[in-house]
Amino acid sequence: MGVGDEQSGTRQVGQGEETQAGDAVLAAVEAAMTRIRRRQSRRSLARPAVEGAGGPVDLTTLAVIDAVDEGTGEGGRDVTVGFVADRLAVDPSRASRIVADAVKSGFVRRVASQEDGRRSCLELTGSGEQAVAAAHRTRQGFYASLLGDWKPGEQREFARLLTKFVRSLDEAERG
């Protein structure tokens, strides 16, 4: 229960109101994340990205291409089948099969690790780089249309907070 300070005109929020506000925030985050998850599971954005890739790319191969691209951007880290399994949240045997399909399709190639020649790493081929660039253009174009009527400061703040949220997810997953 809030207590009013008659002299300053400010209102102090009691613990009960903070709990209610916190519950409302958590309920709103949960509802928004559930809606995002449903949209992601329908892969409504992946389909146009695949179509914009300039050639036939199936959705699973696009996921592998994205994971390899993400790993390459993490500076000096070997991108392996294990890395792809981790990023796609699949077991290593499934990752091995879908990576083999991406290799067979010509979007990814296996190369020897610079750190350990016995270890096989993954990198994008020219076709893979074209496909990932097309996917980035398609997705960023979609987000630009969604954020088009937001003020630039709101866009930056959204990007900052969303990135912070995803970092927290990653940390929670690592334990």
Side-chain angles (χ1 to χ4, degrees), residues 9-85:
T10 61
R11 177 180 153 107
Q12 296 175 340
V13 178
Q15 196 169 8
E17 287 182 26
E18 282 182 18
T19 300
Q20 287 177 345
D23 291 347
V25 166
L26 295 176
V29 169
E30 177 192 14
M33 292 303 297
T34 298
R35 290 180 71 186
I36 289 170
R37 183 185 48 78
R38 284 186 194 132
R39 280 198 173 82
Q40 293 292 345
S41 67
R42 285 185 288 208
R43 295 184 167 210
S44 56
L45 187 53
R47 288 188 204 326
V50 167
E51 292 164 8
V57 182
D58 82 13
L59 296 176
T60 304
T61 298
L62 181 61
V64 171
I65 292 168
D66 276 333
V68 172
D69 180 56
E70 179 184 349
T72 303
E74 290 187 2
R77 180 171 179 181
D78 282 346
V79 180
T80 63
V81 171
F83 177 89
V84 171

Side-chain angles (χ1 to χ4, degrees), residues 29-161:
V29 169
E30 177 192 14
M33 292 303 297
T34 298
R35 290 180 71 186
I36 289 170
R37 183 185 48 78
R38 284 186 194 132
R39 280 198 173 82
Q40 293 292 345
S41 67
R42 285 185 288 208
R43 295 184 167 210
S44 56
L45 187 53
R47 288 188 204 326
V50 167
E51 292 164 8
V57 182
D58 82 13
L59 296 176
T60 304
T61 298
L62 181 61
V64 171
I65 292 168
D66 276 333
V68 172
D69 180 56
E70 179 184 349
T72 303
E74 290 187 2
R77 180 171 179 181
D78 282 346
V79 180
T80 63
V81 171
F83 177 89
V84 171
D86 180 58
R87 285 303 190 262
L88 302 184
V90 297
D91 63 81
S93 62
R94 168 104 173 104
S96 183
R97 288 190 299 274
I98 62 178
V99 164
D101 289 343
V103 169
K104 192 182 327 177
S105 298
F107 294 103
V108 173
R109 72 176 144 255
R110 294 180 192 272
V111 295
S113 168
Q114 298 304 306
E115 296 173 13
D116 181 351
R118 297 167 295 175
R119 199 160 106 183
S120 180
C121 296
L122 306 170
E123 66 182 23
L124 296 176
T125 63
S127 297
E129 289 172 359
Q130 290 175 353
V132 81
H136 287 310
R137 279 191 308 274
T138 300
R139 290 186 291 235
Q140 289 174 20
F142 176 74
Y143 298 135
S145 70
L146 292 178
L147 300 173
D149 62 346
W150 293 28
K151 294 177 184 166
E154 291 173 324
Q155 292 178 17
R156 284 189 299 275
E157 183 67 0
F158 176 70
R160 184 186 73 77
L161 291 172

